[in-house]
């Protein structure tokens, strides 16, 4: 139009058909001389977002060096968070100053190693991990985590115990074999409860109880080289994953509750796709490994490992996991067997022929008494016919005190 062009004469309807911009926006642009200006609310954030109310929980996790966005997402999801994972990732990137500075350890790479692979049901790896527990009374103690993983598919199993004694090792291995099957070999460290030394030729000298346990279950054990954790790197990584994913920010009432949560967590992780293994462990393990691994059959010998022997104290109690449970007075032996299953503690005789008592585990420090632990009911005769004989009981005379003879007022008779 040349010099005859005028902004005031622009046909907004025709401009709308050409550009596709709405007439309302064209009117606003025309008012500003067709100069695009930024929105007045650009760069501003709303006072209330989907994360409002959860910042304190996330900040505490970041200060505790918990930077895994999925872990934080699961924790606040239980508190009612309805947002997505990307929002949490953005919040973490904006608040990295809360994360403690990591320690940098510089070490040479050394010689390169070669990864090895095993067939289905051929090799499991097991290890112990330790966690510090802060009790409500302010006292801290250590809790042991037993971990076992299938080297072929990555199927995993974890269980927590108050300590890492040999009897708890046997219980954890039996529960893992029930969950995953019995492999040909188990790869482990040089634990004191497994091996006591080496002979002249370098062959392991098995601990006698562990050697009997291997023959009873029917598997072989392979030992790693000392100070060489790369040999069983899968279970080492599993222990680290438990500490970084399952343990962080978790509270529990007792070990039984913790093991219930751990079993649910194992099922969830085994049903997920793992990029490192390029499979879903539960599917591969059930389709391939379980055809090679043997199914554990519960026998009397195996039950004895699940029910360790305990001595009965002089006052009729057995000690199990730091607590005392009563044994009935009718059981006269000095030892018995104890087994914890879910929220109940079962006490059996030494031969596992019959059950002596059952206790409801409250995890209180107070002693748990058994029925008829002390009270002995003596035989008593009762009348067989109505009682007709009657006898009267007189009131008992109160004896005089020693100073009654010096009360001279009783001896004087006063005249009115």
């Amino acid at each position: 139009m040349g010099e005859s062009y005028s902004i005031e004469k622009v046909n907004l309807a025709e401009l709308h058909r050409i550009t596709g911009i709405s007439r309302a926006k064209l009117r606003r642009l025309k008012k500003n001389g067709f100069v695009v200006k930024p929105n007045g609310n650009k760069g501003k954030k709303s006072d209330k977002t989907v994360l409002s109310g959860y910042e304190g929980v996330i900040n505490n996790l970041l200060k505790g060096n918990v930077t895994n966005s999925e872990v934080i997402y699961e924790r606040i999801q239980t508190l009612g968070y309805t947002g997505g994972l990307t929002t949490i990732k953005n919040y973490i990137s904006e608040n990295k100053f809360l994360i403690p500075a990591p320690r940098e350890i510089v070490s040479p790479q050394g010689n390169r190693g070669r990864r090895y692979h095993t067939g289905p049901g051929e090799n499991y790896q097991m290890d112990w991990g330790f966690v510090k527990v802060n009790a409500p009374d302010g006292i801290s103690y250590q809790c042991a985590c037993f971990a076992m993983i299938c080297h072929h598919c990555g199927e995993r199993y974890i269980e927590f115990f108050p300590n890492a004694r040999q009897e708890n090792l046997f219980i954890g291995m039996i529960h893992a074999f029930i969950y995953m099957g019995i492999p040909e070999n188990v790869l482990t460290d040089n634990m004191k409860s497994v091996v006591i030394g080496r002979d002249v030729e370098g062959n392991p000298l098995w601990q006698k109880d562990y050697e009997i346990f291997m023959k009873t279950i029917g598997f072989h054990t392979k030992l790693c080289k000392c100070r060489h954790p790369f040999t069983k790197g899968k279970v080492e990584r599993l222990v680290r994953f438990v500490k970084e994913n399952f343990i962080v920010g978790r509270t529990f009432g007792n070990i039984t509750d913790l093991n219930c949560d751990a079993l649910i967590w194992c099922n969830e992780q085994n049903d997920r796709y793992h990029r490192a293994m390029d499979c879903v462990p539960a599917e591969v393990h059930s389709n391939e490994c379980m055809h090679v691994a043997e199914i554990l059959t519960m026998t009397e010998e195996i039950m004895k490992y699940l029910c360790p022997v305990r001595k009965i104290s002089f006052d009729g109690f057995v000690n199990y996991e730091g607590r005392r449970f009563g044994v009935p007075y009718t059981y006269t032996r000095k030892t018995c067997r104890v087994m914890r299953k879910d929220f109940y503690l079962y006490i059996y005789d030494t031969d596992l022929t019959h059950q002596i008592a059952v206790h409801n585990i409250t995890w209180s420090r107070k002693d748990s008494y058994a029925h008829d632990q002390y009270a002995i009911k003596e035989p008593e005769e009762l009348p067989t016919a109505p009682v007709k004989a009657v006898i009267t009981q007189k009131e008992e005379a109160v004896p005089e005190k020693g100073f009654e003879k010096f009360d001279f007022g009783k001896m004087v008779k006063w005249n009115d």
Side-chain angles (χ1 to χ4, degrees):
M1 297 178 62
E3 296 180 355
S4 63
Y5 172 77
S6 176
I7 295 178
E8 300 296 335
K9 298 180 180 180
V10 173
N11 191 335
L12 297 181
E14 184 67 23
L15 192 60
H16 165 67
R17 286 191 293 269
I18 296 174
T19 61
I21 302 174
S22 65
R23 293 190 184 185
K25 188 173 182 179
L26 289 173
R27 291 191 194 99
R28 186 169 64 252
L29 291 174
K30 182 180 179 181
K31 185 178 179 181
N32 297 329
F34 288 97
V35 177
V36 180
K37 296 182 179 180
N39 193 305
N41 293 326
K42 185 177 181 180
K44 295 183 180 181
K45 291 186 178 180
S46 176
D47 296 335
K48 187 176 181 181
T49 63
V50 71
L51 272 179
S52 298
Y54 304 101
E55 294 91 341
V57 179
I58 301 177
N59 292 342
N60 291 334
L61 291 174
L62 292 177
K63 291 177 182 178
N65 204 17
V66 181
T67 58
N68 193 328
S69 58
E70 290 188 0
V71 175
I72 298 176
Y73 178 68
E74 292 177 359
R75 294 294 183 271
I76 65 176
Q77 220 178 11
T78 58
L79 301 177
Y81 175 70
T82 57
L85 184 62
T86 306
T87 307
I88 298 175
K89 290 183 178 180
N90 295 335
Y91 185 85
I92 294 174
S93 62
E94 294 172 359
N95 296 271
K96 287 185 176 180
F97 61 90
L98 297 174
I99 304 172
R103 294 187 345 180
E104 295 184 2
I105 301 177
V106 180
S107 60
Q109 182 180 4
N111 296 330
R112 288 188 175 181
R114 177 177 295 180
R115 299 183 184 275
Y116 64 94
H117 302 276
T118 57
E122 181 181 347
N123 198 344
Y124 289 174
Q125 299 179 10
M126 72 174 184
D127 198 5
W128 285 105
F130 296 92
V131 180
K132 184 179 179 181
V133 180
N134 295 323
D137 54 1
I139 301 175
S140 299
Y141 64 92
Q142 283 187 348
C143 182
C145 175
F146 172 81
M148 181 172 282
I149 188 171
C150 177
H151 186 267
H152 175 72
C153 63
E155 178 94 346
R156 64 205 63 199
Y157 176 82
I158 63 171
E159 186 173 359
F160 291 85
F161 295 93
N163 51 63
R165 293 179 181 175
Q166 188 183 54
E167 63 180 24
N168 291 331
L169 175 67
F170 293 158
I171 294 174
M173 293 181 70
I174 291 174
H175 289 169
F177 292 154
I178 294 173
Y179 186 82
M180 304 167 57
I182 305 174
E184 298 178 8
N185 304 294
V186 173
L187 187 64
T188 181
D189 282 333
N190 294 264
M191 305 179 186
K192 295 180 181 179
S193 54
V194 174
V195 62
I196 58 176
R198 308 268 181 168
D199 58 9
V200 179
E201 298 178 355
N203 298 321
L205 300 175
W206 304 111
Q207 203 272 343
K208 60 178 183 178
D209 295 330
Y210 185 82
E211 187 175 9
I212 297 173
F213 177 75
M214 281 195 301
K215 294 179 180 178
T216 303
I217 302 296
F219 68 95
H220 301 283
T221 302
K222 292 185 178 180
L223 300 177
C224 297
K225 183 180 178 181
C226 294
R227 300 177 183 86
H228 198 270
F230 318 105
T231 309
K232 56 179 186 61
K234 288 189 182 296
V235 72
E236 295 282 357
R237 187 63 182 89
L238 173 59
V239 172
R240 177 183 167 188
F241 182 57
V242 170
K243 294 179 180 179
E244 293 179 352
N245 186 282
F246 177 74
I247 292 297
V248 291
R250 184 175 297 274
T251 58
F252 66 97
N254 51 63
I255 294 183
T256 304
D257 293 333
L258 187 61
N259 284 329
C260 292
D261 295 340
L263 186 59
I264 296 173
W265 181 82
C266 287
N267 295 333
E268 293 176 352
Q269 297 299 326
N270 292 331
D271 289 335
R272 288 183 178 181
Y273 172 78
H274 290 263
R275 185 172 56 183
M277 305 300 299
D278 192 22
C279 68
V280 178
E283 297 178 358
V284 177
H285 193 80
S286 60
N287 296 331
E288 299 180 10
C289 300
M290 290 303 294
H291 292 291
V292 180
E294 298 181 4
I295 298 176
L296 182 64
T297 303
M298 196 61 61
T299 61
E300 184 178 352
E301 290 77 10
I302 297 177
M303 280 297 298
K304 289 182 179 179
Y305 289 107
L306 293 177
C307 304
V309 178
R310 287 291 185 273
K311 290 184 178 180
I312 303 175
S313 63
F314 74 97
D315 53 350
F317 285 98
V318 292
N319 196 326
Y320 188 74
E321 294 183 348
R323 292 160 179 82
R324 302 208 314 163
F325 301 91
V327 180
Y329 186 81
T330 54
Y331 185 74
T332 57
R333 296 185 183 180
K334 295 183 179 180
T335 59
C336 63
R337 291 185 176 272
V338 181
M339 180 181 69
R340 174 174 59 83
K341 185 177 181 181
D342 296 334
F343 293 92
Y344 295 94
L345 185 93
Y346 299 91
I347 301 178
Y348 299 93
D349 63 339
T350 309
D351 302 327
L352 290 176
T353 54
H354 65 278
Q355 182 177 294
I356 301 173
V358 179
H359 290 272
N360 185 12
I361 301 180
T362 59
W363 298 99
S364 174
R365 291 296 177 181
K366 295 182 179 179
D367 296 339
S368 179
Y369 291 88
H371 181 65
D372 293 339
Q373 184 171 348
Y374 297 114
I376 304 174
K377 294 183 179 180
E378 298 181 357
E380 179 183 359
E381 295 293 337
L382 299 176
T384 57
V387 180
K388 297 181 180 181
V390 180
I391 188 173
T392 304
Q393 183 181 2
K394 67 178 181 179
E395 185 179 357
E396 185 178 1
V398 180
E400 295 183 356
K401 298 180 180 179
F403 290 94
E404 288 290 336
K405 59 183 179 179
F406 297 106
D407 189 1
F408 300 107
K410 292 183 179 181
M411 303 177 185
V412 178
K413 296 182 178 180
W414 301 93
N415 296 325
D416 294 340

